[in-house]
Amino acid sequence: MSAVTRDRDCWIDLRQAGEWRREVAEEAVHLRFEAIVTDDPADLAGLPPTVTRVLVVTGDELPDSFGDADLVLADPELHGDPARLAAAHPGIRFGSRVDVTDAASLDLACERVRRDELTVLRFHDPTHIPLEIVLAAADGADGRIITEVTGIDEASVHLTVLERGPDGILLRPGGPGDATKLAEVVRRGSPDLDLVTLTVTGIRHVGSGERACVDTCSHLGQDEGILVGSRSRGLLLCVSETHPLPYMPMRPFRVNAGAIMSYTLADHQRTRYLCELRAGSTVLAVRADGRTRPVTVGRVKIETRPLLAIDAVAPNGEQLNIIVQDDWHVRLLGPGGVVHNSTELKPGDEVLGHLPGRERHVGYPIDELCHEL
């Protein structure tokens, strides 16, 4: 199971940017933010057409002029229904702005997200339950929801509420640089990986040592696991404990991954040693078709166990190796999501892997001479 992925908007709010207003606006334009928000029409003058110019109405009455605004955010209780306002002001789009502070304003927010083309919401209490309620109320509606945040951490949380989050984030920046941080969080994707079919060339018992079970905070799929390998240039796909075992219950959050010195992917670019993972770390969960998602590590269990070395070769001749616990319930995935018990593998069997293709230094890809044997 994974969160819904879709395009999200990045909006920046100039109202509290103070002396940094111009610099913050230039940064947002450079990053191709979808919207720049202000309560001063002068801030919108000269902005390029690549960004939506948004004016917030702060008084009880609509201003006589909206300046260069493309979109006006109004309070529906003070200024009227956005659809009627748009009809009265051709060429200007209108959206609702609701501050959620109590049950009545929460009801208003739920009403607006079901009716309006766009709704901007600000939540004042340190709980995400009101956002959950609004997102549930908006399910199936055509309008877009933008939520205001005061920091990057809050933005990260909003994006994951109810596994979908809002359609965009409006950040009140502290200064230059915050727009870049927001873009990194909002636009962070989890692209597919190119998996290759590997041919097993041999397995052998290699004594005992410490292996790591990676327990995640997610329910992993039956064709999902993490990539693990003894060498940074080639990793094999270890499957989650989502398949029945005769002597113990399934652990759908766990991957019995491999020896502690093994590499895994923390994200699409950086590797980590299994022994480096900690509660709160991120590891990349990978499906047999190459789809990926970052998952949070809940704990890592390191215990001494008998070990088994598995050798394989890629179509390009790259030699791969993985060392895992020497027990048949440790499993690797093959093409089409076929599950292989590791101790039953034999030369000629096919398993899935990934070839990052570059050497590593402290987990980062680097082009240098490095022999891993």
Side-chain angles (χ1 to χ4, degrees):
M1 296 183 291
S2 61
V4 175
T5 58
R6 63 188 191 282
D7 292 335
R8 316 287 190 103
D9 288 354
C10 288
W11 291 29
I12 203 75
D13 192 337
L14 302 183
R15 284 176 289 174
Q16 295 181 358
E19 61 178 328
W20 300 110
R21 283 193 176 204
R22 180 178 297 275
E23 289 81 2
V24 168
E26 290 177 351
E27 182 183 8
V29 169
H30 175 72
L31 293 167
R32 301 191 71 84
F33 269 39
E34 281 72 24
I36 292 178
V37 178
T38 183
D39 56 4
D40 184 354
D43 290 331
L44 304 177
L47 291 177
T50 55
V51 65
T52 299
R53 295 161 291 192
V54 183
L55 182 67
V56 178
V57 179
T58 55
D60 293 343
E61 303 290 335
L62 292 178
D64 295 332
S65 172
F66 303 121
D68 292 334
D70 306 301
L71 171 66
V72 175
L73 297 179
D75 184 328
E77 292 197 311
L78 290 175
H79 308 119
D81 184 80
R84 287 197 290 270
L85 292 174
H89 298 83
I92 301 292
R93 294 166 54 210
F94 281 82
S96 293
R97 179 178 56 85
V98 180
D99 283 352
V100 179
T101 59
D102 53 23
S105 54
L106 177 59
D107 288 342
L108 176 63
C110 291
E111 175 190 351
R112 301 322 308 184
V113 296
R114 290 193 293 264
R115 295 178 55 182
D116 295 342
E117 173 190 348
L118 185 139
T119 309
V120 175
L121 303 172
R122 183 182 178 192
F123 297 92
H124 287 256
D125 291 324
T127 171
H128 303 298
I129 292 176
L131 177 54
E132 293 179 3
I133 294 171
V134 171
L135 292 176
D139 189 51
D142 294 330
R144 294 180 69 79
I145 299 171
I146 310 295
T147 59
E148 293 188 28
V149 300
T150 57
I152 304 303
D153 288 343
E154 187 181 7
S156 298
V157 174
H158 276 214
L159 291 168
T160 61
V161 171
L162 283 195
E163 293 191 77
R164 56 159 288 182
D167 299 291
I169 297 292
L170 169 59
L171 174 68
R172 295 191 173 192
D178 282 357
T180 299
K181 295 176 183 177
L182 179 67
E184 291 173 352
V185 169
V186 173
R187 296 170 178 170
R188 179 190 302 148
S190 193
D192 295 349
L193 285 180
D194 291 328
L195 299 183
V196 298
T197 298
L198 312 171
T199 302
V200 174
T201 57
I203 64 171
R204 60 192 188 278
H205 306 284
V206 291
S208 66
E210 281 68 61
R211 68 92 176 98
C213 282
V214 179
D215 292 350
T216 74
C217 298
S218 297
H219 194 298
L220 300 171
Q222 290 193 325
D223 67 340
E224 191 174 28
I226 65 174
L227 288 160
V228 181
S230 302
R231 301 164 190 155
S232 62
R233 292 178 63 89
L235 310 172
L236 290 82
L237 187 52
C238 296
V239 69
S240 54
E241 292 191 6
T242 53
H243 299 272
L245 297 167
Y247 302 111
M248 58 190 299
M250 292 184 291
R251 302 285 191 262
F253 51 80
R254 171 176 295 171
V255 179
N256 191 323
I260 56 173
M261 81 318 144
S262 305
Y263 289 103
T264 190
L265 284 179
D267 56 39
H268 286 79
Q269 292 295 321
R270 190 170 188 187
T271 58
R272 293 283 191 186
Y273 296 122
L274 290 178
C275 64
E276 291 180 326
L277 298 178
R278 298 288 186 273
S281 299
T282 299
V283 69
L284 197 66
V286 182
R287 291 188 178 273
D289 60 4
R291 286 181 295 158
T292 70
R293 59 173 173 144
V295 295
T296 301
V297 175
R299 64 175 160 265
V300 178
K301 289 185 63 180
I302 296 176
E303 298 161 316
T304 302
R305 293 290 187 269
L307 298 176
L308 183 74
I310 302 169
D311 297 312
V313 63
N316 66 356
E318 186 79 44
Q319 301 292 320
L320 291 83
N321 172 266
I322 185 173
I323 297 176
V324 298
Q325 180 179 341
D326 191 344
D327 199 292
W328 68 276
H329 76 272
V330 179
R331 292 155 164 166
L332 276 66
L333 279 177
V338 173
V339 179
H340 294 282
N341 297 328
S342 59
T343 54
E344 296 177 350
L345 286 170
K346 59 187 182 301
D349 286 342
E350 293 183 337
V351 294
L352 289 174
H354 174 63
L355 307 178
R358 298 177 70 187
E359 314 301 347
R360 301 281 158 164
H361 182 67
V362 293
Y364 292 106
I366 187 173
D367 295 318
E368 67 172 359
L369 177 65
C370 178
H371 293 299
E372 294 179 300
L373 305 174

